[in-house]
Amino acid sequence: MGRIVVTEFISLDGVVEAPGGEDFKYPNWSAEFDRGEEGERFKVDEALGAQALLLGRRTYQGFASAWPQYEGELADKYNGMPKYLVSRTLTDPTWNNTRVLSGGLVDEVTRLKDEVTGDISVAGSIQLVQGLLEHDLVDELHLMMFPVLLGTGRRLFGETSDRSTWKLTDSITVGEGVLITILQRAR
């Protein structure tokens, strides 16, 4: 059975918008901080350990326009692995090995978790992640928190219809004060 693992770059005030340079007041804000060798290795190992990607449309479009032009171990992984796109508007994806999930979120993701063995990585995809959290479909959170208050931008955690509890399973500080936390859903 698959596990939904959400991985996010996040500011101290919970902003996850545009860490990699999209159109935003503070584009590419995460790049202002050195993650150090240990932080870089964490991200590579995380990606290489995933069996599939689950992405919302905006993140998918960003990844699909960037990753095919890169080479190397990480690019090979992203370009070759199964990708699942949650979208009602993008119906004909061009990135290799992509399947569109256009049905109900709960049914589609539950079926996906039954089909995939191992980690299903969800990067970025703010609206998708909020829906997954709302429906208690996330098994693990990987948060790479950067020491900055952005004061504006889309935040990861919004209001939900119920509370959920999480267990901190690991944390480490890397580079220039970047905190990596791994939390598992406490059931």
Side-chain angles (χ1 to χ4, degrees):
M1 181 160 187
R3 295 179 334 129
I4 300 294
V5 178
V6 169
T7 176
E8 299 286 349
F9 291 164
I10 189 166
S11 69
L12 290 174
D13 52 348
V15 175
V16 291
E17 184 175 355
E22 300 82 8
D23 185 29
F24 178 58
K25 183 176 183 179
Y26 305 110
N28 209 24
W29 55 265
S30 68
E32 296 173 18
F33 301 91
D34 182 8
R35 297 186 301 217
E37 190 174 309
E38 200 170 9
E40 296 299 325
R41 186 79 246 158
F42 174 83
K43 293 307 290 179
V44 169
D45 290 346
E46 176 185 67
L48 295 178
Q51 299 307 306
L53 282 175
L54 175 63
L55 301 170
R57 181 189 51 80
R58 284 188 215 169
T59 301
Y60 172 85
Q61 288 175 315
F63 277 34
S65 67
W67 282 106
Q69 60 190 319
Y70 290 111
E71 295 181 357
E73 183 180 32
L74 191 55
D76 291 347
K77 176 68 175 188
Y78 277 144
N79 290 322
M81 72 191 313
K83 291 166 277 295
Y84 300 91
L85 165 62
V86 176
S87 178
R88 289 196 169 96
T89 58
L90 202 158
T91 57
D92 191 26
T94 57
W95 195 13
N96 177 49
N97 209 11
T98 299
R99 185 172 103 197
V100 176
L101 305 179
S102 57
L105 181 64
V106 173
D107 291 340
E108 292 278 18
V109 173
T110 300
R111 185 172 22 262
L112 184 61
K113 288 174 79 169
D114 288 339
E115 291 174 7
V116 175
T117 301
D119 289 350
I120 303 164
S121 181
V122 185
S125 307
I126 302 167
Q127 185 176 349
L128 171 59
V129 170
Q130 289 171 341
L132 294 170
L133 288 166
E134 172 64 26
H135 295 290
D136 200 23
L137 294 167
V138 176
D139 299 290
E140 193 164 278
L141 294 168
H142 293 186
L143 303 177
M144 185 173 270
M145 185 177 292
F146 292 82
V148 61
L149 294 170
L150 295 172
T152 188
R154 294 177 63 206
R155 287 168 169 75
L156 181 61
F157 301 108
E159 290 190 27
T160 58
S161 60
D162 203 359
R163 73 182 207 148
S164 63
T165 54
W166 296 81
K167 178 183 177 187
L168 179 67
T169 59
D170 198 7
S171 66
I172 185 171
T173 303
V174 297
E176 296 177 341
V178 177
L179 176 64
I180 299 171
T181 58
I182 299 176
L183 301 112
Q184 291 180 343
R185 181 70 170 95
R187 305 257 179 218

